[in-house]
Amino acid sequence: MDPIKVTPAHLARFGFTDNERTEAMAGPDGLRLWDPVARRPADDDASAVLDTLYFAADPDLALFQLHRLVEVAGEEVRAAVVEDKALRRRLIGTLGVSATLGDLLVANPDDWRELLGEQNKRAAGYSTRDVSTVPLLRSGYRRELLRIVAADLTAAADVEVTMRRLTELADATLQAALAIAVAERGSDEVRLAVVAMGKCGGCELNYVSDVDVVFVAEPVGETDTETAMRAGSALAARMMEICGFVAWPVDAALRPEGSRGALVRTVASHLAYYRKWAKTWEFQALLKARPAAGDLELGQHWLAELQPLIWSAAERPEAVDEVRAMRRRIIEAIPRAEVDREIKRGPGGLRDIEFAVQLLQLVHGRADESLRTPTTLAALRALIEGGYVGLADGEALLRAYRFLRVVEHRLQLQRLRRTHTVPDDPAGLRWLAHALGHRPNAARDAVESFRTEWVRHAGEVRRLHAKLFYRPLLEAVARVPSEQLRLTPDAARARLDVLGFADPAGALRHIEALTGGLSRTAAIQRQLLPALLSEFADAPEPDRGLLAYRQVSEKVGNTPWYLRLLRDEGPVALRLARLLALSRYVTDLLIHDPEALRLLADDTELVPRSAATLTEGFAAAAARHPDPESAINAVRALRRRELFRIACADLLGLLDVTAVGDALSSVIDATLRATLGVTAALAAPLDFAIIGMGRLGGAEASYPSDADVLFVYEAPPGMADDAASKAALTIAEELRSLLSRPAHDPPLGVDADLRPEGRQGPLVRSLGAFQQYYTRWSKIWEAQALLRARLVAGSESLGARVLELADTKRYPDGGLTREQIHEIRRLKARVDSERLPRGADPATHTKLGRGGLADVEWTVQLLQLQHGHAVPALRTPRTLQALAAATESGLLDRAAAAELEAAWRQASRVRNLLTLVRGRATDQLPRQGPDLAAAASVLGGGVEPQEFLDDYLRVARRARGAVERIFDGA
């Protein structure tokens, strides 16, 4: 019986177009992938290979090159392709996208082994290769390029990683070529730095490109400059020659005077040229400068010397027009037949994005150093972060840039030649669409899918290029009339004098920065500022309020919602002005989380979230991140938002001091719970509990409060004590470490000093160890500390047993003995005499001063220790609840209780406010100055500062009298 003839349909489903050739190469006499009799793959392994071939850019080419490679390299290649899925994807992907790379693999049949094994763990560059000669360097470059291509095509590396790896390979090649040149010619007379420019300088190199460089040289020792420059030129020329043979041409045309200028120059010679002769485009080119090879210290010195010139270039009257004119000339130089297909130079192409970003860098980078990066994507991200480019616009440009660079990479890979033009023939378009991952479906073919995506990105780039390059950076709000609200310099100066600004000239500079120009943003700022200046003037330091407002506006002022929110949402602008003028703490939080400003629009948004809501939200945020640092960064960001919410509500008078303490404690609780959830996963499973102590345990946390805690664990059955202790220690140490890492949010210290034996004792203890310690060795002050103990995170059952143990010590049967009462008095006397900081005023120290927090809390805790065993209502970690219970049970007269409560509330409020005002922890109420004025403004209902101080001293004095009476009568 004659064999069944294979019809094109059977092999066409794998993407092949040449049926006879495919049958010959894939059939029994070829790669043995296809059974022509059964009209199907030869076996399951063959099916997997054919499926992979289908996803190649050109299945016919991939099969052809694979067949050639097996012929020259042997059956080992076929076996590896069949058995090793990762190799199969890398090798077939490479063979199907690049005829040139396929030819190189066939010509060098051992090179396919470079694609074996784990690729991402291999060092970049030539660290594992000998590249000491030109042939070795050429071979090494080819093999490293093969690895990069394979990672790119299999999505093991995205386009940014690919560009970075190509740049790293270029840097290593420049260094290796220079080393060969030095070995041949010597370098005793000259120091030579190779500064990468263009795409290489920007760490965004593509597959086939000239590598732009500038050479900087300095004489060594007593060598004269002329001799050194000759030696440097010889080294540079030889290095360029080697690189041209090994990989790509090295182009030094961006040097001063271009191809007519000296190949190498000293730093002084470069500076002289750039100071006197350089044009704007040359400074624009220097944005990409990056020392890449040779004497890197010299390269960094050269770049540092040029920085002032680069970042003052935009101050030239003609600078912006010159950059724009250069872009127009580039477009005009494109052949008319290619202009719509040029993804690099054409409208909507890469150059549109790069020129827009570079112009913004030149203009705004003078004052904002975060924009000083040679990498386009990094610069664009910095522009977004700085508010110079809107988030939506910036994200569109980021997506477009990445897409266009991938297209450019695929075009260049086909023949390993420099090209940026999309083909116009059907076969070429189909190949490109397949190389980019597009496949036909029921709705459209692959080419149509590619065209749709390309047109969308190019259109976005054209639109945004025009918006950023030729018009104001962002249009934040609709145009509004502003003639009647215009703050002219003369009117502003006169008003600032009247309003009491300490530095009217400095304030005027802030106003001019906010309102200068004809943009819509400036128009709305001119409308808002007259009202805001009055609000600033009501604060103790108006200048600080205006400065803070400018800082916030510069951070977010170009975002569409910012000024619209201030203009249209009634309370927001005046609230923001009051908060910025009063509080460094709020200003710092807002600058690092501008979106939090939206909370000021609605009172309901300023209501603190419940502990349950916070716990759920923080845990969910942590769960979205696989690594602990990212998870806790997310938790800390949420904590920062909640601190802003509470601080604003506090300063605006929407919360009393107990609600503030409860809310801050709930935030700490949620933070510890979420962090414990992350760190507990890092160790062996066991019961673990965090017991809150101090102000956290009493749910009376203040803004500067650390989290005072005890760490307790219990090993599960079968776990050795040493293993359990080690696991618990890992959990606790990781928790403290993650929460103490430097970040923009206020720090949360996790303090375990109240544990048995203090800092000398183990950080974590088992429940049994706690029980043994408290039974045999604990002192009365430790029983006093346990009065505030409360489970805040971890195992509820373990926490309940810890608190049961604590009850036996903090509420002792029969109360306190005379000796214990005497010991508490002695300790209190030591606190009064020894713990007050040197130079502190005991009359106005909110924590340790007379009538301060310590006075009230020690008094209440004395009553709890004495009577807690008999009065259940005293068994609470909260100070005011215990005080109320003591009053209701007749242990305190109501007058004394009222004096103690008033002092506690007053000291807590003042301590919180001082932290909010200064932006850092402080316990001392000053007797004069702006901080006292702020306290009087917020807490005193508008009374004069001296009157507020007198009230504070009177309340504290009365409370101190009550404290002394209670201690004396104990």
Side-chain angles (χ1 to χ4, degrees):
M1 182 176 182
D2 294 334
I4 299 173
K5 184 179 180 182
V6 180
T7 63
H10 294 114
L11 284 169
R13 71 173 185 264
F14 293 104
F16 301 112
T17 59
D18 189 337
N19 184 60
E20 291 185 6
R21 188 183 188 192
T22 300
E23 180 186 349
M25 291 185 294
D29 297 327
L31 294 173
R32 305 189 303 283
L33 302 175
W34 183 257
D35 183 343
V37 176
R39 303 180 186 177
R40 64 186 180 189
D43 51 36
D44 290 343
D45 289 337
S47 180
V49 175
L50 290 169
D51 285 340
T52 305
L53 285 163
Y54 170 76
F55 286 102
D58 185 341
D60 292 298
L61 175 63
L63 180 65
F64 172 66
Q65 297 286 47
L66 179 61
H67 185 266
R68 292 179 65 205
L69 183 58
V70 170
E71 284 185 333
V72 298
E75 277 295 309
E76 183 183 2
V77 179
R78 182 191 180 280
V81 167
V82 168
E83 296 168 5
D84 187 335
K85 180 179 179 181
L87 171 71
R88 181 164 66 242
R89 292 181 65 234
R90 294 168 191 152
L91 183 58
I92 290 177
T94 302
L95 295 175
V97 82
S98 176
T100 303
L101 282 175
D103 291 343
L104 286 172
L105 279 168
V106 172
N108 301 274
D110 287 336
D111 282 5
W112 69 271
R113 302 179 193 278
E114 292 291 327
L115 305 183
L116 288 167
E118 175 57 56
Q119 297 288 304
N120 291 332
K121 293 182 180 179
R122 293 173 61 176
Y126 302 124
S127 58
T128 60
R129 300 185 191 279
D130 178 7
V131 289
S132 57
T133 66
V134 174
L136 287 173
L137 179 58
R138 186 177 189 184
S139 173
Y141 177 83
R142 182 183 67 243
R143 292 175 177 178
E144 289 298 322
L145 181 66
L146 180 65
R147 289 178 52 204
I148 295 172
V149 171
D152 179 9
L153 295 175
T154 56
D158 64 17
V159 67
E160 292 184 61
V161 173
T162 300
M163 292 189 295
R164 188 185 72 244
R165 289 180 176 175
L166 287 167
T167 304
E168 290 170 352
L169 179 58
D171 288 356
T173 303
L174 291 170
Q175 186 64 49
L178 181 58
I180 294 171
V182 168
E184 293 174 353
R185 288 169 166 74
S187 63
D188 295 340
E189 300 169 319
V190 65
R191 298 170 61 196
L192 182 66
V194 184
V195 179
M197 305 285 283
K199 290 186 289 295
C200 188
C203 298
E204 50 201 24
L205 200 61
N206 51 29
Y207 284 109
V208 186
S209 174
D210 291 353
V211 170
D212 297 312
V213 302
V214 168
F215 294 105
V216 185
E218 290 291 338
V220 172
E222 300 298 322
T223 306
D224 64 90
T225 301
E226 184 177 351
T227 300
M229 294 307 101
R230 282 200 301 270
S233 296
L235 287 175
R238 177 56 178 154
M239 187 206 80
M240 295 171 69
E241 180 184 9
I242 292 169
C243 289
F245 177 76
V246 165
W248 18 247
V250 173
D251 188 347
L254 291 176
R255 66 187 184 270
E257 299 181 83
S259 56
R260 298 187 302 275
L263 183 60
V264 301
R265 289 177 183 250
T266 63
V267 174
S269 177
H270 275 100
L271 287 172
Y273 174 84
Y274 282 110
R275 284 174 178 148
K276 188 172 184 180
W277 302 108
K279 295 181 171 57
T280 302
W281 71 264
E282 293 176 280
F283 291 108
Q284 182 182 353
L286 287 174
L287 292 174
K288 297 286 190 184
R290 178 183 60 83
D295 192 324
L296 297 180
E297 183 179 352
L298 175 59
Q300 293 291 355
H301 172 64
W302 172 86
L303 188 57
E305 290 294 312
L306 285 175
Q307 290 296 299
L309 300 177
I310 296 171
W311 301 112
S312 62
E315 296 173 5
R316 298 175 169 201
E318 72 282 1
V320 172
D321 286 341
E322 285 184 354
V323 174
R324 290 171 174 168
M326 173 66 74
R327 177 64 187 125
R328 287 193 294 270
R329 287 196 295 272
I330 290 173
I331 294 176
E332 290 167 0
I334 304 171
R336 183 172 297 181
E338 297 179 4
V339 68
D340 292 332
R341 297 187 288 116
E342 252 276 0
I343 60 165
K344 178 180 178 181
R345 298 177 296 164
L350 290 164
R351 280 287 186 264
D352 271 356
I353 301 173
E354 292 166 351
F355 265 69
V357 168
Q358 289 163 16
L359 180 58
L360 294 177
Q361 284 182 281
L362 285 172
V363 172
H364 297 296
R366 294 170 294 167
D368 189 345
E369 294 188 6
S370 71
L371 305 181
R372 299 181 181 183
T373 171
T375 304
T376 300
L377 290 177
L380 183 50
R381 291 188 179 105
L383 287 165
I384 297 169
E385 287 292 321
Y388 305 102
V389 176
L391 180 59
D393 292 347
E395 288 296 329
L397 288 175
L398 288 170
R399 288 191 298 270
Y401 186 85
R402 288 191 288 259
F403 170 79
L404 292 170
R405 289 309 300 265
V406 172
V407 174
E408 180 186 45
H409 283 182
R410 297 299 179 268
L411 287 171
Q412 294 183 346
L413 278 176
Q414 188 175 27
R415 297 290 180 187
L416 280 188
R417 63 182 180 87
R418 185 167 57 180
T419 180
H420 313 97
T421 306
V422 173
D424 54 0
D425 62 289
L429 278 171
R430 185 169 55 253
W431 173 89
L432 178 59
H434 287 178
L436 292 167
H438 294 283
R439 289 295 181 271
N441 55 42
R444 61 181 66 172
D445 63 23
V447 171
E448 187 178 354
S449 295
F450 160 66
R451 282 191 178 279
T452 300
E453 188 174 8
W454 179 27
V455 168
R456 174 168 54 82
H457 284 302
E460 281 284 272
V461 171
R462 281 194 296 270
R463 178 182 67 83
L464 294 173
H465 174 76
K467 181 177 182 179
L468 300 176
F469 205 58
Y470 294 104
R471 299 200 297 269
L473 299 182
L474 289 173
E475 298 181 9
V477 293
R479 187 182 300 274
V480 296
S482 59
E483 290 77 7
Q484 296 180 1
L485 298 174
R486 184 178 301 277
L487 281 171
T488 64
D490 291 340
R493 189 177 295 108
R495 187 163 190 203
L496 292 169
D497 286 330
V498 171
L499 291 174
F501 280 78
D503 180 12
L508 183 58
R509 287 194 295 273
H510 296 321
I511 292 171
E512 289 172 343
L514 290 164
T515 64
L518 302 176
S519 69
R520 296 179 180 181
T521 296
I524 294 180
Q525 289 284 21
R526 288 191 289 269
Q527 181 185 26
L528 292 169
L529 272 169
L532 300 185
L533 289 174
S534 297
E535 196 69 23
F536 296 142
D538 289 339
E541 296 181 282
D543 303 77
R544 190 175 77 190
L546 179 56
L547 172 61
Y549 177 71
R550 179 181 174 184
Q551 290 172 332
V552 172
S553 294
E554 289 179 343
K555 181 76 173 177
V556 297
N558 283 334
T559 54
W561 57 267
Y562 171 64
L563 290 176
R564 186 166 61 234
L565 184 70
L566 295 186
R567 186 195 66 188
D568 298 336
E569 296 291 339
V572 175
L574 296 180
R575 282 178 169 179
L576 176 64
R578 177 170 175 77
L579 293 168
L580 295 179
L582 284 172
S583 176
R584 287 188 178 95
Y585 187 91
V586 167
T587 300
D588 290 342
L589 289 173
L590 187 58
I591 285 174
H592 292 111
D593 185 13
E595 289 279 346
L597 183 62
R598 298 177 187 271
L599 300 180
L600 300 182
D602 187 349
D603 282 358
T604 60
E605 289 294 331
L606 294 175
V607 176
R609 300 302 186 241
S610 68
T613 300
L614 293 174
T615 298
E616 181 180 355
F618 283 27
R624 286 192 287 269
H625 298 272
D627 64 287
E629 286 193 7
S630 298
I632 302 309
N633 284 343
V635 170
R636 291 174 65 163
L638 290 179
R639 173 175 174 263
R640 182 170 59 233
R641 174 67 62 90
E642 295 306 316
L643 291 176
F644 178 82
R645 188 195 311 276
I646 297 166
C648 292
D650 189 0
L651 287 168
L652 295 172
L654 302 178
L655 297 177
D656 70 6
V657 69
T658 56
V660 170
D662 195 60
L664 291 171
S665 300
S666 294
V667 172
I668 296 175
D669 289 357
T671 303
L672 292 174
R673 289 166 187 165
T675 309
L676 178 59
V678 171
T679 60
L682 304 177
L686 78 169
D687 278 354
F688 192 94
I690 301 177
I691 306 298
M693 304 288 283
R695 303 188 70 78
L696 171 62
E700 298 160 355
S702 59
Y703 294 103
S705 289
D706 287 343
D708 291 316
V709 300
L710 301 177
F711 295 116
V712 190
Y713 71 92
E714 189 170 51
M719 178 179 282
D721 290 343
D722 288 348
S725 176
K726 183 177 180 181
L729 184 62
T730 297
I731 293 170
E733 287 181 336
E734 282 296 314
L735 181 142
R736 298 176 77 189
S737 173
L738 288 169
L739 290 176
S740 65
R741 287 188 307 108
H744 294 309
D745 51 290
L748 176 60
V750 180
D751 188 342
D753 289 353
L754 291 175
R755 65 187 184 270
E757 301 180 80
R759 295 180 181 178
Q760 281 71 46
L763 180 63
V764 296
R765 284 179 185 255
S766 67
L767 177 59
F770 269 99
Q771 188 166 12
Q772 183 181 38
Y773 176 86
Y774 283 120
T775 301
R776 299 178 61 183
W777 295 297
S778 69
K779 297 179 175 59
I780 189 62
W781 72 263
E782 292 174 295
Q784 181 182 353
L786 286 172
L787 289 167
R788 313 296 291 275
R790 172 178 67 89
L791 175 66
V792 299
S795 169
E796 293 187 7
S797 62
L798 176 59
R801 282 176 283 157
V802 173
L803 296 181
E804 287 175 9
L805 170 62
D807 286 348
T808 65
K809 305 303 295 181
R810 57 186 174 179
Y811 312 126
D813 290 340
L816 298 175
T817 65
R818 295 309 303 172
E819 291 78 10
Q820 289 173 322
I821 293 173
H822 177 75
E823 177 66 9
I824 290 175
R825 285 175 175 163
R826 188 184 67 81
L827 291 171
K828 180 66 170 71
R830 284 189 60 189
V831 168
D832 290 345
S833 62
E834 297 177 11
R835 288 189 58 193
L836 196 68
R838 184 185 300 273
D841 183 349
T844 58
H845 197 277
T846 60
K847 183 176 181 181
L848 301 174
R850 293 189 291 270
L853 292 170
D855 265 1
V856 178
E857 290 169 357
W858 276 69
T859 303
V860 172
Q861 290 161 11
L862 174 63
L863 296 173
Q864 289 180 285
L865 288 166
Q866 283 182 301
H867 305 288
H869 68 286
V871 182
L874 284 173
R875 301 171 193 170
T876 173
R878 297 175 181 253
T879 300
L880 294 186
Q881 286 184 5
L883 184 60
T887 307
E888 291 299 322
S889 63
L891 299 174
L892 270 182
D893 63 76
R894 294 192 179 277
E899 290 166 349
L900 292 173
E901 180 175 351
W904 187 90
R905 287 181 177 275
Q906 172 181 265
S908 297
R909 293 173 70 207
V910 171
R911 188 169 184 245
N912 277 342
L913 181 70
L914 291 174
T915 299
L916 292 175
V917 169
R918 293 186 177 183
R920 54 184 173 82
T922 181
D923 297 317
Q924 186 73 64
L925 176 66
R927 289 182 177 265
Q928 59 186 1
D931 291 349
L932 176 63
S937 172
V938 176
L939 303 178
V943 301
E944 289 298 315
Q946 191 58 49
E947 183 180 352
F948 175 81
L949 179 62
D950 291 343
D951 288 341
Y952 180 93
L953 293 172
R954 182 171 56 254
V955 170
R957 199 163 46 243
R958 290 174 176 172
R960 179 68 175 197
V963 170
E964 291 174 348
R965 291 193 304 273
I966 295 166
F967 264 82
D968 289 345

